[in-house]
Amino acid sequence: MHLPVEKNAPLDFDFIIGDWLVKHRRLNSRFTNCNEWTEFDGLSSTVKTLGGFGNLEDNVLYFPEGSFRALALRSFCMKSGTWSIWWLDARKPTTLDVPVVGAFSNHVGIFFADDILDGQAIKVRFTWTATPGENPRWDQAFSKDQGRTWETNWTMDFVRATQEMVAIQPSKLGLPTAIRSTT
């Protein structure tokens, strides 16, 4: 059942609503001058929640070492005009990551958080690029110098999954055959 969306709900994340095939690139190690990336596939499905003032993104990530599920939870604050994004990794089901907070301008959303990585304080930046007529892109970068320099360590390129693509694409992507058909 789809509940109605409120007419004053923000439209910022409307570009990602629906089903997607995802090409991931993850830097093999962080803050080590690493230039080697691991590429893998995934699936993503996003629905509106909170009357359009939030959304949930369900993900399957097919890492070379095995697949896992994860969830992004996004909510919009009318008072501040910002979005907060939390990440829940099914491998750690009792822990939400620190939320990144930010907003969109000219089809680019930039979100920041202060966090800890391996005992060291870092800044986290998510960048969503949602240029009309183009496929969405997300990237994550970390900074250990208060944002003077950034190391991009993860990118995701999204391609809309149609019924036809779901039936054909997974085998070409190396995805399990169990996801080939949804009906």
Side-chain angles (χ1 to χ4, degrees), residues 17-178:
I17 302 301
D19 301 323
W20 301 88
L21 303 173
V22 184
K23 290 300 253 179
H24 294 265
R25 287 182 67 234
R26 182 183 63 170
L27 193 63
N28 289 348
S29 71
R30 295 167 179 166
F31 299 127
T32 61
N33 295 316
C34 179
N35 292 316
E36 296 176 7
W37 294 78
T38 297
E39 296 185 8
F40 57 96
D41 300 305
L43 299 173
S44 179
S45 182
T46 303
V47 296
K48 289 187 178 193
T49 60
L50 302 172
F53 286 85
N55 59 66
L56 291 173
E57 177 185 288
D58 193 11
N59 294 279
V60 181
L61 295 94
Y62 296 104
F63 281 104
E65 61 270 17
S67 65
F68 77 94
R69 301 293 294 256
L71 181 82
L73 165 65
R74 302 181 188 100
S75 67
F76 184 76
C77 176
M78 288 284 290
K79 186 175 181 179
S80 65
T82 60
W83 286 90
S84 295
I85 306 171
W86 292 264
W87 182 252
L88 176 61
D89 183 325
R91 297 170 298 181
K92 298 182 242 171
T94 61
T95 306
L96 281 174
D97 282 355
V98 172
V100 293
V101 178
F104 280 84
S105 178
N106 297 319
H107 308 290
V108 176
I110 301 180
F111 307 86
F112 296 98
D114 292 317
D115 206 349
I116 303 291
L117 178 68
D118 299 328
Q120 179 180 16
I122 63 166
K123 287 200 169 293
V124 177
R125 181 185 70 202
F126 286 8
T127 304
W128 273 102
T129 305
T131 306
E134 295 181 15
N135 290 329
R137 181 180 176 86
W138 171 89
D139 71 58
Q140 172 181 272
F142 291 168
S143 173
K144 59 182 181 179
D145 60 12
Q146 294 297 306
R148 287 186 293 280
T149 61
W150 293 93
E151 178 183 78
T152 299
N153 57 57
W154 199 311
T155 67
M156 294 167 60
D157 290 300
F158 293 77
V159 175
R160 180 119 4 228
T162 64
Q163 266 317 104
E164 296 78 22
M165 288 176 74
V166 171
I168 297 168
Q169 197 68 15
S171 64
K172 289 184 179 179
L173 293 173
L175 300 176
T177 56

